Amino acid sequence: MTDIRYLAPGTLDEAVGAYAAAAGAARILAGGTDLLVQMRAGVVRPGLIVDIKKIAEMTTIEETPEGGFRIGAAVSGARLAEHPRFGKVWPGVLEGINLIGSKQVQGRASPGGNLCNASPAGDSVPAMIAAGAVVTIQGPNGRRQMPVEAVPAGPGRTNLAPGEILVSFTLPPQPAGTGDAYLRMIPRTEMDIAVVGCGACITLEDGVVTQARIGLGAVAPTPLLVGPAAAALIGSRLEEAALAAAAAACSAACRPIDDKRGTIAYRTKVAGVLLRRCVAIAADRAGRA
Amino acid sequence: MAKIHVTTTVNGEPVEFLCEPQQSMLDVLRGPLGLTGSKEGCGSGDCGACSITLDGRLICSCLMLAVEAEGHEIGTIEGMASGDGLHPLQQKFLEMAALQCGICTPGVLIAARALLEKNPDPTETEVRFGLAGNLCRCTGYDKIVRAVLETAAEMRGAKAEMPEAVR
Ligand SMILES: Cc1cc2nc3c(=O)[nH]c(=O)nc-3n(C[C@H](O)[C@H](O)[C@H](O)COP(=O)(O)OP(=O)(O)OC[C@H]3O[C@@H](n4cnc5c(N)ncnc54)[C@H](O)[C@@H]3O)c2cc1C
Ligand code: FES
Ligand code: FES
């Protein structure tokens, strides 16, 4: 590892310029909890590290005038947890982000890094998908937006074009009666990688589900938006038949791997189980919202 | 290769150093800065032996580049005791023998202090979750957890005894 350069530009334009100019040899540094581990293991050998934490837009959390949130891609889990309002409005998204690693890891790990590292098991992603988060991306050809679920392309790969940097997540304003939740299945209580992760966001009107979004993690090469599970819930009062149909839709969406953490059969079954538990928490929160 | 000049604050003191771009904060603390209290157990964020604070937030110094310290405030175990008095956590760890080999101890203390700053009255479960990023091969954790709970109780008591104005 000779000749690594480090840059910490103060503006996004400078960051994009340097990142794009270095072509494939550069890596973005947010919290470094994936990147520095990979560099140390020799898996990644960047010629240039572009630290994005000096760019104000990437490190701030703001409520939009319409009542949504804009989270800079490099904001740490600890900072998001300290925000006075975010966890009250989006407890599920915060749960997902705060499940990443230990308190030490939380001091640095960002939702942008979690998404761009593109692990199928990234804990913040299913909850972000359920929340309907949209990401803003900036590259040599300007800015564009895409839904969170469109970013991962496969394990370790994203759909960002060369030179593009993920700038922020925008979470939409919530209709009254909305609640969200994230649950993951791990064999221990802390510090492990999800065997299955499930995010749910539910809107209730007089006990009837009017909107639903379900995200699943660790059951396919990328985290999934499970439309059929949401469709099974919408219009229902979360009766057993609707929950069973939604759980079956989650299991049907799974295309998992067999590994030491869980077999294909286990992950497929647990996806349905987590859906039920997660919807119950989201609905409870929606009922109180 | 040209080294990078970094100006930062360590335990409240202004500090300058030169480092390689890929060098970790832990390397620089233990090497050029001679602050060997922070330990390297894994180098991959799993063990917490290298725990420090960055602008008051708990992090692993093995997963931070030293160049990132520019303009920020670093807190290490060397800054935990004030003057010649130990921090109540340090004192309690001694009294209750919450350590054996001691390799994990600086990291545990830094993490425990961060926990109590946020939550002065944690449950046992909260202490165990708060310290989940700190591995200890010796104690079986029980003595550590009990020492943290005991310190928390004592610090709350001390605070309650203070006159209103200085609380
Ligand atoms: C001990 C430990 C435990 C962990 N536990 C978990 C866990 O339980 N769940 C989990 O999901 N993850 C876990 N992780 C993995 C990691 O902490 C998370 O994926 C984290 O969210 C990464 O964020 P970061 O800011 O540190 O990313 P970085 O390491 O800075 O970046 C990760 C990758 O994304 C790229 N990148 C980062 N930001 C951007 C951007 N804005 N635009 C374009 N590319 C970008 C980087 O170049 C790099 O390739 C753990 C890691 C450690 C060390
Ligand atoms: S040495 Fe940093 S976490 Fe183990
Ligand atoms: S006392 Fe030896 S590792 Fe904790």
Side-chain angles (χ1 to χ4, degrees):
Chain A
M1 276 208 303
T2 50
D3 260 28
I4 295 187
R5 283 186 309 134
Y6 168 89
L7 282 180
T11 69
L12 201 44
D13 286 338
E14 285 172 83
V16 167
Y19 187 44
R27 282 287 182 287
I28 300 295
L29 172 68
T33 60
D34 281 314
L35 181 65
L36 299 184
V37 173
Q38 290 159 6
M39 280 171 56
R40 188 168 282 234
V43 190
V44 183
R45 295 169 196 277
L48 171 68
I49 294 172
V50 183
D51 184 348
I52 53 176
K53 294 189 296 297
K54 292 224 173 1
I55 304 168
E57 191 180 358
M58 311 209 46
T59 54
T60 44
I61 307 165
E62 59 187 34
E63 266 187 277
T64 62
E66 313 81 54
F69 277 89
R70 205 197 57 80
I71 306 169
V75 167
S76 69
R79 290 228 5 250
L80 211 49
E82 287 163 16
H83 192 276
R85 293 250 315 141
F86 184 77
K88 294 200 169 76
V89 181
W90 293 105
V93 173
L94 188 62
E95 277 158 3
I97 293 170
N98 285 169
L99 275 172
I100 297 170
S102 57
K103 297 283 183 238
Q104 285 86 340
V105 171
Q106 280 294 308
R108 303 258 294 165
S110 68
N114 199 224
L115 183 62
C116 293
N117 190 57
S119 157
D123 277 306
S124 70
V125 187
M128 284 281 194
I129 291 176
V134 169
V135 297
T136 299
I137 293 163
Q138 185 162 324
N141 301 321
R143 284 204 165 200
R144 60 183 182 130
Q145 294 199 312
M146 60 165 101
V148 141
E149 61 271 20
V151 175
R157 292 185 297 116
T158 71
N159 288 314
L160 301 194
E164 281 188 326
I165 299 178
L166 195 111
V167 181
S168 62
F169 295 80
T170 305
L171 281 74
Q174 286 178 351
T178 300
D180 79 327
Y182 175 74
L183 285 178
R184 71 174 178 186
M185 172 65 212
I186 53 170
R188 356 176 15 208
T189 52
E190 256 282 55
M191 296 291 282
D192 207 347
I193 298 171
V195 177
V196 180
C198 179
C201 184
I202 303 281
T203 305
L204 292 176
E205 231 179 275
D206 301 325
V208 176
V209 178
T210 55
Q211 290 183 37
R213 283 175 67 92
I214 305 296
L216 277 184
V219 295
T222 63
L224 304 173
L225 169 67
V226 191
L233 298 173
I234 292 170
S236 80
R237 293 179 166 275
L238 300 176
E239 306 86 349
E240 174 52 30
L243 290 171
C250 281
S251 293
C254 294
R255 284 172 284 128
I257 53 166
D258 260 322
D259 72 2
K260 63 182 176 195
R261 293 201 162 73
T263 61
I264 291 175
Y266 182 74
R267 287 176 197 262
T268 306
K269 169 115 199 262
V270 168
V273 175
L274 280 194
L275 175 280
R276 285 170 176 270
R277 293 182 189 172
C278 200
V279 165
I281 298 169
D284 182 52
R285 289 173 177 164
R288 288 188 266 128
Chain B
M1 185 175 29
K3 290 203 171 190
I4 303 174
H5 180 254
V6 176
T7 307
T8 185
T9 305
V10 179
N11 299 326
E13 301 284 334
V15 166
E16 293 179 40
F17 59 80
L18 292 173
C19 68
E20 309 276 348
Q22 76 277 21
Q23 218 173 347
S24 73
M25 191 67 231
L26 179 61
D27 263 10
V28 168
L29 286 173
R30 290 184 54 81
L33 300 186
L35 297 173
T36 53
S38 307
K39 307 298 180 198
E40 173 155 7
C42 65
S44 56
D46 292 289
C47 77
C50 65
S51 297
I52 61 167
T53 57
L54 172 62
D55 297 336
R57 290 194 187 83
L58 185 65
I59 68 156
C60 294
S61 60
C62 72
L63 294 188
M64 171 186 172
L65 296 177
V67 283
E68 294 183 70
E70 177 71 39
H72 292 281
E73 293 194 9
I74 304 290
T76 72
I77 187 66
E78 286 84 356
M80 192 155 172
S82 58
D84 42 16
L86 292 178
H87 185 279
L89 278 164
Q90 294 174 308
Q91 189 60 44
K92 190 57 70 185
F93 269 52
L94 283 176
E95 282 167 22
M96 295 180 68
L99 64 151
Q100 289 178 27
C101 78
I103 286 283
C104 71
T105 312
V108 170
L109 286 168
I110 291 281
R113 184 183 60 183
L115 170 74
L116 296 188
E117 277 169 2
K118 282 207 165 140
N119 181 358
D121 190 8
T123 62
E124 179 180 335
T125 305
E126 284 167 344
V127 171
R128 288 186 186 272
F129 270 95
L131 298 180
N134 295 83
L135 300 184
C136 175
R137 300 296 304 270
C138 303
T139 64
Y141 301 102
D142 213 58
K143 286 185 163 185
I144 293 176
V145 172
R146 278 189 285 139
V148 173
L149 286 168
E150 192 83 7
T151 313
E154 238 170 56
M155 287 174 77
R156 289 195 306 278
K159 204 169 172 190
E161 279 165 23
M162 274 184 223
E164 195 73 45
V166 294
R167 262 184 225 173

